[in-house]
Coordinates of all heavy atoms in Angstrom, one line a residue:
T211 N -4.1 9.3 -5.1 CA -4.6 10.5 -4.5 C -3.4 11.3 -3.9 O -2.3 10.9 -3.9 CB -5.6 10.1 -3.3 OG1 -6.2 11.2 -2.8 CG2 -4.9 9.4 -2.2
Q212 N -3.8 12.5 -3.3 CA -2.8 13.3 -2.6 C -3.3 13.4 -1.1 O -4.5 13.7 -0.9 CB -2.7 14.7 -3.2 CG -2.2 14.7 -4.6 CD -2.2 16.1 -5.2 OE1 -3.1 16.9 -4.9 NE2 -1.3 16.3 -6.1
F213 N -2.4 13.1 -0.2 CA -2.9 13.1 1.2 C -1.7 13.2 2.2 O -0.5 13.1 1.8 CB -3.6 11.8 1.5 CG -2.8 10.5 1.4 CD1 -2.3 9.9 2.5 CD2 -2.6 10.0 0.2 CE1 -1.5 8.8 2.4 CE2 -1.8 8.9 0.0 CZ -1.3 8.2 1.2
K214 N -2.0 13.4 3.4 CA -1.0 13.5 4.5 C -1.3 12.6 5.6 O -2.5 12.5 6.0 CB -0.9 15.0 5.0 CG 0.0 15.2 6.2 CD 0.0 16.6 6.7 CE 1.0 16.8 7.8 NZ 1.0 18.2 8.3
V215 N -0.3 11.9 6.1 CA -0.5 11.0 7.2 C 0.4 11.4 8.4 O 1.6 11.7 8.1 CB -0.1 9.5 6.9 CG1 -0.3 8.6 8.1 CG2 -1.0 9.0 5.7
S216 N -0.1 11.5 9.6 CA 0.7 11.9 10.8 C 0.5 10.8 11.8 O -0.5 10.2 12.0 CB 0.2 13.2 11.4 OG 0.2 14.3 10.4
A217 N 1.6 10.5 12.5 CA 1.6 9.4 13.5 C 2.4 9.7 14.7 O 3.4 10.4 14.6 CB 2.1 8.1 12.8
S218 N 1.9 9.3 15.9 CA 2.6 9.4 17.1 C 2.5 8.0 17.8 O 1.9 7.1 17.2 CB 2.1 10.5 18.0 OG 0.8 10.1 18.5
A219 N 3.0 7.8 19.0 CA 2.9 6.5 19.6 C 1.5 6.0 19.9 O 1.3 4.8 19.9 CB 3.7 6.6 20.9
D220 N 0.6 7.0 20.1 CA -0.8 6.5 20.4 C -1.9 7.2 19.6 O -3.1 7.1 19.9 CB -1.1 6.8 21.9 CG -1.0 8.3 22.2 OD1 -0.7 9.1 21.3 OD2 -1.3 8.6 23.4
S221 N -1.5 7.8 18.4 CA -2.6 8.4 17.6 C -2.1 8.4 16.1 O -1.0 8.2 15.8 CB -2.9 9.8 18.1 OG -1.8 10.6 17.8
A222 N -3.1 8.6 15.2 CA -2.8 8.7 13.8 C -3.9 9.6 13.2 O -5.0 9.6 13.6 CB -2.9 7.3 13.1
E223 N -3.5 10.4 12.2 CA -4.4 11.3 11.5 C -4.1 11.2 10.0 O -3.0 11.1 9.6 CB -4.2 12.7 12.0 CG -5.2 13.7 11.5 CD -5.0 15.1 12.0 OE1 -5.6 15.4 13.1 OE2 -4.2 15.8 11.5
L224 N -5.2 11.3 9.2 CA -5.1 11.3 7.8 C -5.9 12.5 7.2 O -7.1 12.7 7.6 CB -5.7 10.0 7.3 CG -6.0 9.9 5.7 CD1 -4.7 9.8 5.0 CD2 -6.9 8.8 5.4
A225 N -5.3 13.3 6.4 CA -5.9 14.4 5.8 C -5.8 14.2 4.2 O -4.7 14.1 3.7 CB -5.3 15.7 6.2
V226 N -6.9 14.2 3.5 CA -6.9 14.0 2.1 C -7.1 15.3 1.3 O -8.1 16.0 1.6 CB -8.1 13.0 1.7 CG1 -8.1 12.8 0.2 CG2 -7.9 11.7 2.4
L227 N -6.1 15.6 0.5 CA -6.2 16.8 -0.3 C -7.1 16.6 -1.6 O -7.9 17.4 -1.9 CB -4.8 17.3 -0.7 CG -4.7 18.5 -1.7 CD1 -5.2 19.7 -1.0 CD2 -3.2 18.7 -2.1
E228 N -6.8 15.4 -2.2 CA -7.6 15.1 -3.4 C -7.7 13.6 -3.5 O -6.8 12.9 -3.3 CB -6.8 15.7 -4.6 CG -7.5 15.4 -6.0 CD -6.7 16.0 -7.1 OE1 -5.9 16.9 -6.9 OE2 -6.8 15.4 -8.2
G229 N -8.9 13.1 -3.9 CA -9.1 11.7 -4.1 C -9.8 11.1 -3.0 O -10.6 11.7 -2.3
R230 N -9.4 9.8 -2.7 CA -10.1 9.1 -1.6 C -9.0 8.1 -1.0 O -8.3 7.5 -1.7 CB -11.3 8.3 -2.1 CG -11.7 7.2 -1.1 CD -12.9 6.4 -1.6 NE -13.2 5.2 -0.8 CZ -14.3 4.6 -0.7 NH1 -15.4 5.0 -1.4 NH2 -14.4 3.5 0.0
V231 N -9.0 8.0 0.3 CA -8.2 7.0 1.0 C -9.1 6.3 2.0 O -9.9 6.9 2.7 CB -7.1 7.7 1.8 CG1 -6.2 6.7 2.6 CG2 -6.2 8.5 0.8
D232 N -9.0 5.0 2.1 CA -9.7 4.2 3.1 C -8.8 4.1 4.3 O -7.6 3.6 4.2 CB -10.0 2.8 2.5 CG -11.1 2.9 1.5 OD1 -12.3 3.3 1.8 OD2 -10.8 2.7 0.3
F233 N -9.4 4.4 5.5 CA -8.6 4.5 6.7 C -9.1 3.4 7.7 O -10.3 3.4 8.0 CB -8.9 5.9 7.3 CG -8.1 6.3 8.5 CD1 -6.7 6.4 8.4 CD2 -8.7 6.5 9.7 CE1 -5.9 6.8 9.5 CE2 -7.9 6.9 10.8 CZ -6.5 7.1 10.7
L234 N -8.2 2.5 8.0 CA -8.6 1.4 8.9 C -8.0 1.7 10.3 O -6.8 1.8 10.5 CB -8.0 0.1 8.4 CG -8.4 -1.2 9.1 CD1 -9.8 -1.6 8.8 CD2 -7.5 -2.4 8.8
D235 N -8.9 1.8 11.3 CA -8.5 2.2 12.6 C -8.2 1.0 13.5 O -8.3 -0.2 13.1 CB -9.5 3.1 13.3 CG -10.9 2.4 13.5 OD1 -10.9 1.2 13.7 OD2 -11.9 3.1 13.5
G236 N -7.8 1.3 14.8 CA -7.4 0.2 15.7 C -8.6 -0.7 16.1 O -8.4 -1.8 16.6
E237 N -9.8 -0.3 15.8 CA -11.0 -1.2 16.0 C -11.3 -2.0 14.8 O -12.4 -2.7 14.8 CB -12.2 -0.3 16.4 CG -12.0 0.6 17.6 CD -12.0 -0.3 18.9 OE1 -13.0 -0.9 19.2 OE2 -10.9 -0.4 19.5
Q238 N -10.4 -2.0 13.8 CA -10.6 -2.7 12.5 C -11.8 -2.3 11.8 O -12.5 -3.0 11.0 CB -10.7 -4.2 12.8 CG -9.4 -4.8 13.4 CD -8.3 -4.8 12.4 OE1 -8.3 -5.5 11.4 NE2 -7.3 -3.9 12.7

Side-chain angles (χ1 to χ4, degrees):
T211 188
Q212 295 175 331
F213 64 100
K214 177 180 179 180
V215 180
S216 302
S218 69
D220 62 355
S221 67
E223 185 178 270
L224 168 73
V226 177
L227 174 65
E228 180 182 333
R230 166 179 166 160
V231 179
D232 289 293
F233 190 64
L234 188 72
D235 62 30
E237 299 291 291
Q238 296 293 289

